[in-house]
Amino acid sequence: YLVMEHISGDDLSKRLETAKKPFPVSWVMFWADQLLDALSYLHSHEPPIIHRDIKPQNLKLTDENHIILLDFGLSKDSSGQTVASRPGASGSLVGYTPHFASMEQIRGTGTDSRSDLYSLSATLYQLMTNTIPADALSRADAMLSDKKDPIIPLTDANPEISPAVSNVILKGLEVSKEKRFGTAAEMQKALRMAHSQMQNQMSAETQVFSVGDVHSTVPPAKDPSIPVAPSEMETRTPTVPPVPAVVVE
């Protein structure tokens, strides 16, 4: 049997279902960076440890907002030996979860670190769009029939996602593992760069008013000696949305 630490609270899939909208892109980018650190650690073992079941249902936030990767019930090392076994955990079917499993895992032709990158990319796709991506088998069948890949670019599903970030996730979701990132560190570097470009673009698009515009739109200052009517007083209290400080343990 397998003994695992109990993490209270809902998993990220349940949180998405409750919120009925994607998580903020900046949150998901931060979580992705921590998860890629975790995968780099797992894959650096000799032989490498492959999780094989990364999905929103296997991610939780602790009370301290630390992100935790759960359920190593399907994990194996590169020699094919099961590291831990827990049949039927988290809804996995026949050794994988369809919409989050790579083609090589579905076909049983052998998984490696790139298989985890596919599953992580599918997970990030859902977290940022609140849409489950098309499964690898359906995508492969479509492409073999000379049809368009049924997976929708992230920018189409969520306009807040930049093309650069979308392209990184889609590369991680390539049906052929040879076309994906070779390592978690490689994907992490690309995702960091894409997110940085997205932030710089958002800053550049911030509207800047010229001095003349400000003078034409801002009313002149009132004499401080004149009482201010209650209707003219500022009554709103500014609020700042909380940003979780999450790390992988």
Side-chain angles (χ1 to χ4, degrees):
Y1 60 91
L2 179 64
V3 178
M4 301 179 69
E5 178 186 1
H6 172 70
I7 306 296
S8 62
D10 292 334
D11 58 57
L12 294 191
S13 178
K14 291 282 183 64
R15 293 192 178 209
L16 271 178
E17 186 179 345
T18 301
K20 297 185 180 352
K21 63 181 180 180
F23 289 107
V25 176
S26 60
W27 292 18
V28 180
M29 289 295 95
F30 189 66
W31 297 340
D33 196 73
Q34 308 309 307
L35 291 168
L36 286 164
D37 269 340
L39 289 183
S40 291
Y41 171 76
L42 292 173
H43 298 165
S44 68
H45 281 69
E46 191 56 47
I49 297 174
I50 314 302
H51 187 281
R52 301 176 74 245
D53 200 25
I54 301 171
K55 56 188 177 183
Q57 291 95 327
N58 283 340
L59 294 175
K60 276 191 173 185
L61 295 178
T62 67
D63 293 337
E64 296 78 24
N65 281 325
H66 295 176
I67 193 162
I68 304 294
L69 176 59
L70 304 171
D71 199 351
F72 283 74
L74 292 179
S75 62
K76 289 187 177 183
D77 61 31
S78 61
S79 66
Q81 297 298 312
T82 301
V83 176
S85 179
R86 187 152 69 96
S90 298
S92 300
L93 302 174
V94 293
Y96 61 85
T97 305
H99 289 274
F100 300 92
S102 61
M103 178 56 66
E104 63 270 17
Q105 187 171 358
I106 294 174
R107 288 179 172 171
T109 56
T111 54
D112 60 21
S113 59
R114 294 168 293 182
S115 307
D116 275 349
L117 296 184
Y118 183 97
S119 299
L120 176 62
S121 298
T123 297
L124 298 177
Y125 187 105
Q126 184 180 5
L127 297 181
M128 286 194 285
T129 66
N130 198 25
T131 301
I132 298 176
D135 65 275
L137 190 58
S138 299
R139 295 174 60 203
D141 288 343
M143 289 184 280
L144 287 173
S145 302
D146 293 325
K147 296 179 181 178
K148 184 179 179 181
D149 187 343
I151 199 164
I152 302 171
L154 285 78
T155 49
D156 292 346
N158 182 355
E160 294 184 6
I161 302 171
S162 71
V165 170
S166 177
N167 289 340
V168 172
I169 303 302
L170 291 179
K171 181 173 181 178
L173 280 168
E174 286 283 359
V175 174
S176 171
K177 64 181 179 181
E178 285 74 21
K179 294 182 179 180
R180 295 175 212 147
F181 296 100
T183 64
E186 184 183 340
M187 180 174 176
Q188 185 182 49
K189 181 179 179 180
L191 201 55
R192 284 176 176 177
M193 186 176 298
H195 187 216
S196 177
Q197 291 175 358
M198 181 176 128
Q199 290 177 312
N200 291 338
Q201 183 179 0
M202 290 174 62
S203 297
E205 291 176 351
T206 301
Q207 190 171 9
V208 179
F209 293 96
S210 67
V211 176
D213 292 333
V214 172
H215 286 168
S216 64
T217 57
V218 178
K222 294 184 178 182
D223 186 341
S225 64
I226 301 176
V228 179
S231 60
E232 296 178 6
M233 292 181 179
E234 181 62 64
T235 58
R236 294 174 297 172
T237 301
T239 58
V240 179
V243 177
V246 293
V247 295
V248 171
E249 292 186 342

